Amino acid sequence: MSRTADRSAQGEALSRAVWSVLAEQGLERLTVRAVAAAAGCTTGLVMHRFPNRQALLLHARQLLHEITRSRVERLEAEAPSPRAALRAVLRQGLATDPQTRQEAVVWMGFLAAAVSDEDLIAEHRRNNRAWRTRVERLTAAAAPGWPAERVATVALALIAMAEGVAALAAADPDAFPAAEQERALDATLGAYGLGE
């Protein structure tokens, strides 16, 4: 195997380890040592790629953005109508299965760390603004006759609903089962006249 392939495989293993530690052990246990243990490598190898905890957190947030961006682009492209696209994109942001629960935990962990860190909060804001822009665009497509102000307000309400439910379900999945989360999403879309 070439050195480039080795580095690529190492990078993927480290990415999986960063994600795993943050999602399964929590923000307070995300350390270079914990990532090295999860990846089965030395702390020196981890520090070569991630020199500090901030770099670990930033990488986890970038991974989350790439995972969800790829998924929402696919869902949007596959949707049979603008309203179906809006629902599918919002639904994927709920915490309805182990993967999306992990994603919600990673998002919350990053947000907690970002509050007091200018570099991390800048990354968080950039990704959240991209998310809001996407939901506004989808809302406008689902309700083409609405004025821009209504589109922006409803998109914000939909984002708040989906992210709030995801946070609740990530912390207590038994109290917020997937079917109940989806009913809440459908009720919210229906209340705005955006149901299918």
Side-chain angles (χ1 to χ4, degrees):
M1 185 182 290
S2 71
R3 299 188 95 186
T4 303
D6 284 344
R7 279 195 293 271
S8 178
Q10 283 177 345
E12 289 176 20
L14 289 174
S15 289
R16 284 192 305 272
V18 169
W19 184 271
S20 172
V21 171
L22 185 55
E24 296 170 12
Q25 298 180 39
L27 177 64
E28 65 283 349
R29 293 206 172 107
L30 182 66
T31 63
V32 168
R33 182 171 292 175
V35 171
C41 67
T42 66
T43 56
L45 181 63
V46 175
M47 290 186 74
H48 181 69
R49 177 127 184 224
F50 306 111
N52 54 41
R53 189 165 187 261
Q54 181 188 34
L56 292 170
L57 285 165
L58 191 57
H59 183 67
R61 182 62 174 100
Q62 290 165 341
L63 279 174
L64 177 60
H65 178 72
E66 286 306 309
I67 289 166
T68 56
R69 183 189 54 76
S70 174
R71 187 169 58 227
V72 298
E73 285 177 357
R74 179 182 50 79
L75 290 168
E76 188 177 343
E78 293 172 353
S81 70
R83 288 185 179 193
L86 177 63
R87 183 188 186 280
V89 166
L90 289 168
R91 185 199 171 282
Q92 68 77 41
L94 302 175
T96 57
D97 56 45
Q99 178 182 342
T100 53
R101 278 194 296 276
Q102 273 195 342
E103 290 169 3
V105 169
V106 168
W107 186 88
M108 290 185 296
F110 183 87
L111 178 58
V115 169
S116 61
D117 185 298
E118 288 184 28
D119 293 332
L120 296 177
I121 200 68
E123 177 75 9
H124 187 72
R125 287 175 179 157
R126 187 169 48 79
N127 290 325
N128 275 1
R129 288 173 184 168
W131 173 237
R132 185 173 184 178
T133 298
R134 180 181 298 273
V135 175
E136 285 179 357
R137 179 177 50 75
L138 292 170
T139 302
W146 287 3
E149 184 178 335
R150 178 160 174 79
V151 167
T153 300
V154 171
L156 178 59
L158 293 171
I159 290 167
M161 177 272 157
E163 291 185 3
V165 168
L168 293 169
D172 191 359
D174 292 337
F176 300 93
E180 188 173 333
Q181 293 178 60
E182 289 193 46
R183 283 193 301 272
L185 174 60
D186 289 336
T188 305
L189 288 167
Y192 288 111
L194 296 171
E196 290 255 67

